[in-house]
Amino acid sequence: MPSLRLLSATIASAARGFAGSKVADKLGPRPARPLELYEFEACPFCRKVREMITWLDLEVVVYPCPKGGKRYRPQVVDRGGKAQFPYLVDPNTNTEMYESDAIIAYLAQQYGTGQLPTSLRLGPATFVSAAISSWLRPAGTFAVDSGLPEQPLVLRGYEGSPASRLVREDLCRRELPYLLQPNAPGSSRPTTAKPQLRDPNTGIEVAGADRISAYLGETYGGH
Ligand SMILES: N[C@@H](CCC(=O)N[C@@H](CS)C(=O)NCC(=O)O)C(=O)O
């Protein structure tokens, strides 16, 4: 029987039509170095960008910036001048930018064919459904205290997967940085039913939202 939180994550993903659950048929050049994204889970503008990342099958180091977060929020203010999310850094082209639509267009041009998935071309309906999906579960909104890992963790999962969302929420409120390796159907990486977390700091690999949640609590604290 699915847990309540998995059920509500599923409803939240359904509100967005499970957007972020497949990779584009045709992709553009692959970046030599992972992109970097400053964002937080419950932000609908960030969600749109994360869907695009899944669509383009891009590796991204995510720096979670929940409200009240002290680790990475100040970095965005230092780099770009204001606390606004999402904020993308592309070390391959020395590009840094705010604004979800500009980021999505940039990614489409640079690493895709210039096309956006239908789910990101619905005008106000895109924002409204992303907002409903994001706000249905506020679990990734506010920062909690946690230990800081030396190296980013590594997450395999994808935007439209409810179980992956639960893991992202856990990582987000703890401000734990992670390399996201999207593995939606059509990805260059094997698609797995359960999200997978690898922690290079401890050498431990865990699969499944509940186990990952327990691991993160035991290892880095927070709740
Ligand atoms: N037009 C911007 C809006 C971004 C935005 O308003 N983001 C909100 C979060 S959903 C934000 O940064 N709020 C300030 C904060 O969280 O401190 C975009 O499309 O990226």
Side-chain angles (χ1 to χ4, degrees), residues 198-223:
R198 184 165 63 77
D199 187 345
N201 304 285
T202 58
I204 286 185
E205 290 191 30
V206 202
D210 289 344
R211 285 178 172 221
I212 293 173
S213 194
Y215 170 76
L216 292 176
E218 282 156 19
T219 312
Y220 296 105
H223 54 84

Side-chain angles (χ1 to χ4, degrees), residues 40 43-45 48 67 73 83-86 98-101:
F40 62 95
C43 162
F45 305 101
K48 291 191 312 178
K67 288 188 185 290
R73 278 192 164 235
Q84 182 180 295
F85 308 93
Y98 291 106
E99 292 300 329
S100 55
D101 288 341

Side-chain angles (χ1 to χ4, degrees), residues 131-143:
I132 293 171
S133 178
S134 298
W135 297 339
L136 272 174
R137 280 191 53 87
T141 309
F142 298 103

Side-chain angles (χ1 to χ4, degrees), residues 156-220:
R156 286 206 174 180
Y158 56 92
E159 186 60 26
S161 151
S164 298
R165 178 193 179 119
L166 297 176
V167 179
R168 295 195 308 268
E169 291 172 354
D170 282 338
L171 292 165
C172 182
R173 62 175 178 274
R174 292 184 172 90
E175 298 180 273
L176 298 174
Y178 59 100
L179 174 68
L180 174 65
Q181 298 183 321
N183 67 348
S187 167
S188 56
R189 292 166 283 274
T191 299
T192 48
K194 293 179 176 180
Q196 319 228 330
L197 186 84
R198 184 165 63 77
D199 187 345
N201 304 285
T202 58
I204 286 185
E205 290 191 30
V206 202
D210 289 344
R211 285 178 172 221
I212 293 173
S213 194
Y215 170 76
L216 292 176
E218 282 156 19
T219 312
Y220 296 105

